[in-house]
C-alpha cells in the first residue's frame, strides 16, 4: 500500500488513549471555568469564505491558509482563526439588546505549515470573546477569565504579559517614517533583535521617538517597566497607554493575579488587528506562548457593525502537553536550569572562551569528549553541542533556553525566537559573485544563481523585484559558474581568497554575518533574570 495513502498530512497527527484523556481533561477544565464566568458556547463552520479573513485581518499570512474551491468557484479556507468568524456573527446576528455578550468556543484551527520544523497545522483552541463592552472593567473581565482558565487546568507555573498597541503606533508615527521602514522596525522589536534595531534606528537618532523605540525590546519584566518608559518619552499617547496599563495592573492585582503578571511593551504583533491592550500567556514546559489575546475594537466594523470587543485564545494541546511534562521527574530539575545550545566548531570555542572568562568551569568541555550535554559545575547552566541548524530547532521548541548561532543560519532557516545579542565574532558576509566581466543584472535571460542558501538568495532578489532561478549546491559552490551551470553564486565570503583563485569577483554584498545569541520565546519571560545574567556575563567577556 502507498505510504502516503495511510499517513497523516504534514502538521497533523493522531491522538490515542492517554493523550486524548489529557487533552479532554484540559479542555473540560477551561470550559468549566469560562461557563462559570457566564460565557456561552458558540460553534462556527470549519470552512469559511476566504474573503471573510482577507478583509478582517490582512496580517494573517495567506500562505498559511488551507484553501478550498467550492462548486461555484469561490475560494474557501479551513478556519485559520476563530475570532474573525465570531466577529462576523456578532456584527450580523446579535441583537443590540443582547449586548454585552460573553461567548466562548472550543474548536480546531487549521494552518498550512512547512515540513521539517515540527510545527502543528491543526490544533484545538478554546477562546473567549466579550462583545459590546469596552474600557477598564471589560479588559479586567476578559483577563480575569484568562487567568481563571489557566489556573483551572492545574498549571503551577504560568504568566500573562500585558502590552498596549498604542505605544508602538504613537512612537512610529512620531518618528515619521514610511510603511516599509515602520514594518521593518516593528519586526525587529517583535523579535527583540537589539543590535539590528539599533542599526535600523541610527539614521533617525536625532528624533526623540528613536530612543524609546530602541528601548522597546528590553522593556519587559515587572510593573517597574512602566516607570522606565515614562523616562524615555513625553509622547502623550504613549503616556496615556502606560497609565491605562498601570490601572489595569492594579485592578488585576486587586483580584489576586499580581504575582502572575508581566509587562512587555515590545508586544507589537498584528498591529492592524489590536487597538488597545494586548496580552500573551506562557506556561512552564511550553516553548512558545500558549495564550494570545487583546482588544480589537475595529474588527466587527469590518462586517458592517461598529462595536467594541476583546478576547483571547488558548492552545489547549500545548497546555495539556506542558502539564504532562511538568509531572515528569526531570521537569523539576529543568525548572531552574538555563540550557544553552552551542554551534559546534569555531563559534563553540569562542563562546566557551567567553564563559570561561566569566568564571565558569569549562574544563570538561575543553578536555574533549563524545558527550553532547554538559552541566557546568557549581552552576544552573547546561551546555548542549549541536549543528548550527539544530541549535535553532532546539531553541525554537524550548528544549534549550538559549543558543549561539551564526546569522547565516538564522537568515536561511528562520524560526520563532528572540535574537537578543550580536556577539561580534565569526564575522563574514553573504555576497553575490560571478566571473569577472559578467553582467548578472543585464539582459533578458532569467539569471541562474547557485547557492547553499536558497532562502537567503530568494529574499535578496525579491527585494530587487528580480526573478531568478536558484540551484542548491551542497559542496564547492564556486564550481557552478565555472562549469556554466549558473550565472552567479550567493555564498559566505570571509577573505575572498577562494573566489579570487577561481576567477570570481564579488559584485554586491548581500548581508553581514556574525554570531548571535537567540533565546526561546517562553524562556525569555519565564527565566528572564537567569538568562539576562548569563548574557551579561558573556558580554563582559567580550569587553574584556
Amino acid at each position: 500500500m502507498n505510504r502516503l495513502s495511510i499517513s497523516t498530512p504534514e502538521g497533523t497527527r493522531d491522538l490515542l488513549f492517554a493523550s486524548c484523556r489529557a487533552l479532554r481533561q484540559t479542555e473540560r477544565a477551561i470550559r468549566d471555568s469560562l461557563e462559570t464566568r457566564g460565557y456561552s458556547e458558540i460553534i462556527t463552520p470549519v470552512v469559511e469564505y476566504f474573503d471573510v479573513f482577507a478583509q478582517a485581518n490582512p496580517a494573517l499570512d495567506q500562505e498559511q491558509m488551507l484553501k478550498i474551491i467550492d462548486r461555484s468557484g469561490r475560494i474557501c479556507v479551513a478556519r485559520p482563526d476563530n475570532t474573525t468568524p465570531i466577529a462576523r456573527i456578532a456584527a450580523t446576528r446579535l441583537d443590540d439588546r443582547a449586548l454585552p455578550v460573553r461567548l466562548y468556543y472550543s474548536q480546531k484551527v487549521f494552518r498550512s505549515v512547512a515540513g521539517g520544523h515540527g510545527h502543528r497545522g491543526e490544533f484545538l483552541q478554546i477562546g473567549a470573546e466579550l462583545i459590546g463592552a469596552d474600557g477598564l472593567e471589560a479588559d479586567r473581565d476578559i483577563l480575569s477569565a484568562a487567568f481563571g482558565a489557566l489556573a483551572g487546568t492545574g498549571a503551577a507555573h504560568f504568566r500573562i504579559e500585558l502590552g498596549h498597541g498604542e505605544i508602538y503606533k504613537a512612537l512610529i508615527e512620531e518618528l515619521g517614517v514610511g510603511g516599509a521602514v515602520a514594518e521593518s522596525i516593528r519586526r525587529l522589536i517583535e523579535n527583540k533583535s537589539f543590535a539590528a534595531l539599533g542599526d535600523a534606528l541610527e539614521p533617525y537618532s536625532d528624533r526623540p521617538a528613536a530612543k524609546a523605540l530602541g528601548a522597546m525590546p528590553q522593556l519587559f519584566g515587572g510593573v517597574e517597566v512602566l516607570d522606565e518608559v515614562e523616562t524615555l518619552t513625553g509622547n502623550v499617547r504613549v503616556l496615556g497607554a502606560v497609565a491605562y496599563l498601570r490601572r489595569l495592573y492594579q485592578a488585576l492585582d486587586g483580584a489576586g493575579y499580581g504575582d502572575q503578571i508581566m509587562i512587555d511593551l515590545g508586544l507589537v504583533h498584528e498591529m492592524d488587528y489590536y487597538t488597545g491592550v494586548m496580552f500573551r500567556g506562557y506556561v512552564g514546559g511550553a516553548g512558545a506562548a500558549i495564550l494570545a489575546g487583546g482588544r480589537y475594537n475595529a474588527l466587527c466594523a469590518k462586517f458592517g457593525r461598529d462595536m467594541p470587543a476583546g478576547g483571547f485564545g488558548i492552545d489547549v494541546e500545548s497546555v495539556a502537553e506542558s502539564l504532562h511534562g511538568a509531572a515528569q521527574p526531570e521537569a523539576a530539575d529543568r525548572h531552574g536550569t538555563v540550557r544553552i545550545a552551542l554551534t559546534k566548531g569555531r563559534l563553540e570555542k569562542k563562546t566557551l572562551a567567553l564563559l570561561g572568562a566569566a568564571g565558569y568551569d569549562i574544563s570538561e568541555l575543553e578536555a574533549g569528549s563524545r558527550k553532547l550535554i554538559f552541566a557546568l559545575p557549581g552552576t544552573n547552566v547546561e551546555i548542549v553541542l549541536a549543528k548550527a541548524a539544530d541549535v535553532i530547532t532546539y531553541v525554537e521548541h524550548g528544549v534549550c533556553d538559549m543558543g549561539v548561532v551564526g546569522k547565516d543560519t538564522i537568515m536561511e532557516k528562520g524560526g520563532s525566537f528572540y535574537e537578543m545579542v550580536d556577539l561580534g565574532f565569526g564575522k563574514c558576509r553573504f555576497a553575490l559573485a560571478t566571473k569577472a566581466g559578467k553582467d548578472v543584472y543585464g539582459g533578458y535571460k532569467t539569471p541562474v544563481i547557485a547557492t547553499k542558501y536558497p532562502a537567503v538568495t530568494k529574499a535578496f532578489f525579491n527585494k530587487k523585484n528580480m526573478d531568478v532561478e536558484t540551484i542548491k549546491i551542497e559542496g564547492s559552490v564556486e564550481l557552478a559558474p565555472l562549469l556554466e551551470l549558473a550565472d552567479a553564486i550567493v555564498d559566505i565570503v570571509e577573505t575572498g581568497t577562494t573566489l579570487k583563485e577561481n576567477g570570481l569577483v564579488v559584485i554586491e554584498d548581500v548581508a553581514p554575518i556574525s554570531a548571535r545569541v537567540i533565546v526561546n520565546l517562553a524562556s525569555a519571560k519565564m527565566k528572564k533574570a537567569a538568562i539576562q545574567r548569563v548574557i551579561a556575563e558573556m558580554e563582559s567577556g567580550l569587553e574584556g
Side-chain angles (χ1 to χ4, degrees):
M1 182 178 291
N2 185 338
R3 185 190 64 81
L4 294 178
S5 68
I6 58 172
S7 64
T8 61
E10 190 74 43
T12 67
R13 57 180 177 169
D14 299 313
L15 292 180
L16 281 71
F17 313 132
S19 296
C20 287
R21 287 193 295 273
L23 178 66
R24 294 307 181 197
Q25 181 178 346
T26 303
E27 182 187 17
R28 281 194 298 271
I30 298 173
R31 279 176 173 270
D32 290 346
S33 176
L34 293 175
E35 289 180 356
T36 299
R37 292 175 179 273
Y39 286 82
S40 300
E41 186 176 11
I42 190 169
I43 298 174
T44 68
V46 172
V47 176
E48 296 255 5
Y49 286 121
F50 169 80
D51 295 344
V52 169
F53 297 94
Q55 75 179 43
N57 186 7
L60 278 175
D61 188 350
Q62 294 187 21
E63 291 185 1
Q64 290 188 348
M65 297 187 192
L66 291 172
K67 300 178 180 67
I68 305 161
I69 307 297
D70 71 5
R71 293 181 65 180
S72 66
R74 291 190 62 178
I75 301 175
C76 304
V77 292
R79 184 175 52 225
D81 162 66
N82 277 309
T83 300
T84 300
I86 290 180
R88 170 183 60 77
I89 290 174
T92 59
R93 303 283 300 277
L94 295 184
D95 191 297
D96 284 333
R97 291 170 297 180
L99 300 178
V101 63
R102 293 172 174 82
L103 306 174
Y104 87 88
Y105 56 82
S106 178
Q107 51 194 29
K108 292 286 187 76
V109 167
F110 303 89
R111 308 272 171 81
S112 176
V113 296
H117 289 268
H119 296 157
R120 285 183 287 120
E122 175 194 20
F123 53 93
L124 179 64
Q125 187 181 73
I126 295 183
E129 315 291 345
L130 177 54
I131 310 290
D134 200 0
L136 185 68
E137 282 304 306
D139 287 340
R140 186 185 67 82
D141 186 300
I142 199 71
L143 275 157
S144 295
F147 279 109
L150 290 180
T153 66
H157 303 288
F158 72 87
R159 298 287 187 275
I160 292 181
E161 61 182 6
L162 307 179
H164 201 291
E166 186 69 5
I167 294 175
Y168 169 77
K169 291 176 183 177
L171 289 172
I172 204 69
E173 287 178 21
E174 181 184 336
L175 192 67
V177 296
V181 174
E183 174 60 15
S184 175
I185 291 172
R186 186 199 67 78
R187 287 185 178 275
L188 293 172
I189 293 172
E190 182 177 19
N191 295 331
K192 299 197 184 300
S193 302
F194 298 158
L197 178 62
D199 293 341
L201 290 171
E202 180 60 31
Y204 316 100
S205 58
D206 59 331
R207 305 181 192 181
K211 181 179 180 182
L213 284 166
M216 283 184 73
Q218 304 175 61
L219 294 175
F220 68 98
V223 71
E224 71 278 356
V225 167
L226 300 178
D227 299 326
E228 188 174 349
V229 74
E230 289 176 332
T231 68
L232 295 171
T233 178
N235 187 296
V236 175
R237 290 165 60 191
V238 173
L239 296 180
V242 169
Y244 182 81
L245 285 176
R246 197 183 299 279
R247 294 198 304 273
L248 181 58
Y249 170 82
Q250 291 168 349
L252 292 168
D253 186 39
Y257 303 122
D259 292 342
Q260 295 162 313
I261 297 175
M262 302 183 296
I263 305 293
D264 187 355
L265 301 186
L267 278 183
V268 291
H269 61 294
E270 296 189 52
M271 296 308 295
D272 291 335
Y273 186 80
Y274 291 109
T275 58
V277 67
M278 307 160 66
F279 51 92
R280 282 179 175 172
Y282 299 89
V283 65
I290 49 80
L291 178 151
R295 178 146 297 281
Y296 48 91
N297 284 351
L299 184 58
C300 291
K302 295 182 178 181
F303 296 104
R305 189 176 178 192
D306 189 4
M307 55 184 169
F312 64 86
I314 297 175
D315 182 342
V316 184
E317 292 178 44
S318 290
V319 175
E321 288 171 359
S322 69
L323 292 173
H324 174 74
Q328 304 305 308
E330 63 271 16
D333 297 334
R334 271 279 290 138
H335 181 63
T337 300
V338 175
R339 184 178 286 168
I340 309 172
L342 301 186
T343 301
K344 291 180 179 179
R346 288 184 296 172
L347 297 190
E348 168 202 346
K349 291 179 172 60
K350 288 182 177 290
T351 307
L352 289 177
L354 292 181
L355 293 172
Y360 288 93
D361 182 353
I362 58 171
S363 56
E364 186 180 8
L365 285 127
E366 292 181 317
S369 168
R370 289 188 176 273
K371 285 177 61 176
L372 297 174
I373 303 177
F374 300 81
L376 299 187
T379 73
N380 66 338
V381 175
E382 289 182 352
I383 301 295
V384 174
L385 301 182
K387 289 186 176 181
D390 296 337
V391 168
I392 288 180
T393 299
Y394 296 144
V395 171
E396 185 175 18
H397 285 271
V399 295
C400 289
D401 302 298
M402 310 169 50
V404 176
V405 68
K407 180 66 175 180
D408 54 317
T409 307
I410 293 173
M411 292 176 67
E412 181 63 24
K413 185 175 174 65
S416 299
F417 46 79
Y418 294 135
E419 185 183 329
M420 299 189 74
V421 180
D422 182 351
L423 292 173
F425 56 74
K427 285 188 174 181
C428 47
R429 68 192 195 278
F430 276 121
L432 175 68
T434 187
K435 291 191 290 187
K438 187 171 185 62
D439 183 6
V440 177
Y441 297 137
Y444 297 101
K445 175 180 176 291
T446 300
V448 178
I449 311 297
T451 183
K452 298 176 186 176
Y453 306 93
V456 171
T457 301
K458 290 175 183 176
F460 173 68
F461 283 102
N462 282 343
K463 287 183 179 179
K464 294 179 174 293
N465 293 317
M466 281 184 63
D467 289 327
V468 297
E469 179 184 338
T470 59
I471 298 178
K472 186 169 183 181
I473 301 293
E474 298 292 347
S476 299
V477 71
E478 296 86 0
L479 278 171
L482 300 180
L483 297 175
E484 301 294 337
L485 177 65
D487 299 300
I489 64 172
V490 169
D491 200 18
I492 293 175
V493 176
E494 190 168 3
T495 65
T497 301
T498 304
L499 293 178
K500 291 177 183 177
E501 291 183 355
N502 287 281
L504 303 180
V505 295
V506 172
I507 45 178
E508 188 171 351
D509 287 341
V510 174
I513 298 169
S514 57
R516 309 297 170 100
V517 175
I518 61 174
V519 179
N520 172 264
L521 300 177
S523 297
K525 309 301 172 65
M526 304 292 283
K527 301 181 179 182
K528 180 188 176 185
I531 286 173
Q532 288 193 327
R533 184 183 67 250
V534 174
I535 288 177
E537 289 167 342
M538 293 171 69
E539 290 182 315
S540 69
L542 285 173
E543 294 168 2

